[in-house]
Amino acid sequence: MDYREEMKRLREELNENAYRYYVLDEPTMSDYDYDMKNRRLQQLEQEHPEEIVPDSPTQRVGDKLKDGFSPYRHEVPLESLQDVFTAGEVEDFCHRMEESLDGNAAYSLEPKVDGLSVALEYRDGVFVSGGTRGDGRVGEDVTENLRTVRSIPMTLPEKLPRLIVRGEVYMARSVFEEINRRREIEGKPLMANPRNAAAGSLRQLDPKIAAERRLDIRIFNLQLAQGRSFATHSETLDYLESQHFSVIPHKTLLTANACLEEIHDINERRMSYPYDMDGAVIKIDRLSDRESLGSTVKCPKWAIAYKYPPEQKPSKVLDIVVQVGRTGVLTPKAVLAPVHLAGTTVQSATLHNQDYIAEKDVRV
C-alpha cells in the first residue's frame, strides 16, 4: 500500500474511533489497537512530514465539547502524556532524565486510572467549579455533576485563597457490574465498560442521573496552590490527602530497575484496585526539576505513561454460529462463556482467519 493511502486510512480510522470513544462513548476498537495505529501514523508522519494535515489525530489532544455544557477554560493546561509500551522505552526515559538532571533523578510512580480526567477548583477552601479535560485548555463545565461525586470534598480543612487539582473520575468495577445487572433485569442495553460508563455518567445533562451512577475519583496532581509551596510531587499528594482528597497511591523511586519492578507489581495487583487501569505513570518527583525540563507542544518532558499489553484470559467456546453480512459474506462467530477482560465483558469472537482457527484447533 502507498504510504499516502496508509496515512489517509489510519487518520480516518483513528478519527472515527476518537469520535465514538469521546463523544458517543461507543468505542469501536480496543485501546491497544488505537495506540498501535496511532504510533504507526506518528512514524509515517515523521518519515513524511509534508503529508501532515490539520485533522490528523496526532495534531490534537483531547475531545470535542458536547452540546449542552458551557466551555471550561483551564488556567493551568491539563497536559497529556507520552505513551510507551516496552521496558526499553522506560529505561530510555530514565536515562534521559539522569543525563538532564546530572544523575540526580527521583521518580514518582502511580497506577494510571482508566477514567475521565477533570480539574477541580476551590476558593477559600470551598469547591466552586470543575471541568473535563477537553483539549487540555478548554473542556466542559460539569460542576453540578462533580458535586454528586461523594469522594470530592466540598470544603477543605485549610482555606487557601485558590487551589486547583487534577484527578480521574471513574466508576468502580463493583458499581459497574451492579448497574449492568439491574439494567439487564429492566431490559435496558448494557454499558460497555467502566470507563465509558463513567464518561457518559459525568456528561449527563441531568445531575440526578450522575448521582445515581455513584462515580468516584482519584486525585493525581496539584495544578495550582496560592499560599503554599512544595518541593516535590510526593509532598503535594501527601498534602492533598490531608485535605480529604482521595489520592492516587504512589511510590518514590530512584532507578529505572525500581520503576520497572513497580510497574510489574502494579500489573500483578491490578484486580485488587477498585478501578480499571490501563498502565502506570512515571513522573519526575522534584518540582524544580520539572520546571527546568519543561514540555513539548503536547506533553511534559518529565513524565511518561507505560501502557500495559492487552489482558489475556481463558474462556470456553459454547457454540459457533454463522453470520450473513450485508453483501452475502458468511462469517463464523464463536459464542464464548462470558469473561471480564480489559474493562468489558467478552461473550463472542469473530472467526475470520482460517489459518488461526486451524492452528489453535478452535471448536466447541
Side-chain angles (χ1 to χ4, degrees):
M1 180 187 297
D2 177 75
Y3 69 84
R4 293 184 186 86
E5 290 181 14
E6 184 179 3
M7 292 174 76
K8 181 176 183 291
R9 179 179 58 78
L10 287 168
R11 286 195 299 267
E12 290 173 351
E13 289 180 5
L14 291 169
N15 281 329
E16 172 67 14
N17 186 71
Y19 168 69
R20 293 185 174 279
Y21 190 96
Y22 292 109
V23 179
L24 303 180
D25 300 320
E26 297 172 356
T28 54
M29 67 176 75
S30 71
D31 288 352
Y32 183 79
D33 285 343
Y34 182 92
D35 289 335
M36 291 298 103
K37 289 177 185 290
N38 197 52
R39 171 168 278 203
R40 173 60 179 160
L41 181 57
Q42 288 173 340
Q43 178 189 341
L44 288 169
E45 288 181 346
Q46 287 173 358
E47 294 170 0
H48 309 282
E50 74 280 0
E51 296 296 330
I52 297 176
V53 295
D55 71 341
S56 171
T58 66
Q59 302 304 298
R60 65 171 191 169
V61 182
D63 54 0
K64 296 181 181 178
L65 296 182
K66 196 173 185 180
D67 291 341
F69 290 108
S70 300
Y72 188 94
R73 301 192 180 279
H74 298 291
E75 181 171 331
V76 181
L78 272 59
E79 295 180 301
S80 62
L81 294 177
Q82 177 191 349
D83 291 338
V84 302
F85 301 89
T86 67
E89 289 175 300
V90 173
E91 290 168 344
D92 289 344
F93 167 77
C94 293
H95 180 66
R96 289 198 305 273
M97 296 301 100
E98 291 288 330
E99 281 192 338
S100 301
L101 301 173
D102 297 324
N104 197 27
Y107 310 97
S108 181
L109 198 147
E110 63 203 38
K112 185 176 183 296
V113 181
D114 195 12
L116 189 69
S117 192
V118 298
L120 313 175
E121 181 172 354
Y122 293 77
R123 302 264 186 164
D124 299 318
V126 177
F127 174 69
V128 293
S129 66
T132 62
R133 181 177 173 276
D135 65 3
R137 287 173 172 76
V138 181
E140 298 161 325
D141 189 326
V142 288
T143 301
E144 295 311 309
N145 286 351
L146 286 168
R147 290 185 189 280
T148 71
V149 181
R150 293 186 177 272
S151 48
I152 295 178
M154 293 294 103
T155 59
L156 307 178
E158 185 172 22
K159 313 302 180 187
L160 295 183
R162 195 171 182 210
L163 180 80
I164 301 176
V165 301
R166 181 177 176 181
E168 197 84 359
V169 172
Y170 68 91
M171 181 180 286
R173 278 192 298 271
S174 58
V175 173
F176 170 77
E177 289 163 3
E178 181 185 329
I179 289 176
N180 261 354
R181 277 196 297 269
R182 191 163 67 241
R183 292 176 74 88
E184 190 171 22
I185 292 171
E186 294 170 353
K188 296 179 179 177
L190 302 185
M191 295 178 173
N193 55 58
R195 189 270 165 203
N196 291 99
S201 301
L202 189 63
R203 298 160 80 196
Q204 290 286 334
L205 295 177
D206 182 358
K208 292 179 182 177
I209 297 176
E212 291 171 359
R213 301 287 172 80
R214 289 180 289 160
L215 299 175
D216 213 324
I217 193 170
R218 283 292 185 275
I219 302 300
F220 61 83
N221 206 60
L222 174 63
Q223 301 292 100
L224 182 148
Q226 289 183 353
R228 272 273 188 173
S229 61
F230 302 91
T232 67
H233 173 68
S234 302
E235 282 181 21
T236 68
L237 293 183
D238 292 342
Y239 170 74
L240 293 176
E241 194 165 27
S242 77
Q243 297 304 297
H244 301 172
F245 288 102
S246 180
V247 172
I248 198 75
H250 56 99
K251 279 189 178 181
T252 304
L253 304 166
L254 299 176
T255 67
N257 281 341
C259 290
L260 288 169
E261 286 179 14
E262 181 62 16
I263 287 170
H264 173 76
D265 289 347
I266 289 175
N267 193 30
E268 290 292 304
R269 302 192 307 267
R270 65 194 294 180
M271 294 310 295
S272 68
Y273 293 96
Y275 40 77
D276 277 350
M277 65 178 72
D278 58 356
V281 178
I282 309 169
K283 306 172 181 176
I284 286 294
D285 195 40
R286 279 187 293 273
L287 302 182
S288 59
D289 290 343
R290 293 184 180 187
E291 194 170 344
S292 67
L293 289 163
S295 299
T296 66
V297 175
K298 294 193 292 185
C299 304
K301 295 179 182 178
W302 42 262
I304 55 172
Y306 176 87
K307 302 296 281 289
Y308 290 123
E311 287 183 78
Q312 294 184 338
K313 288 184 180 177
S315 185
K316 184 178 183 179
V317 179
L318 304 178
D319 194 7
I320 294 177
V321 297
V322 177
Q323 290 183 316
V324 182
R326 185 170 47 85
T327 60
V329 174
L330 303 178
T331 305
K333 185 176 82 168
V335 179
L336 305 175
V339 58
H340 189 73
L341 189 67
T344 190
T345 300
V346 179
Q347 300 184 77
S348 64
T350 302
L351 300 176
H352 62 276
N353 186 323
Q354 183 58 46
D355 292 339
Y356 182 84
I357 295 169
E359 178 193 344
K360 298 292 184 184
D361 192 23
V362 177
R363 65 176 74 191
V364 175

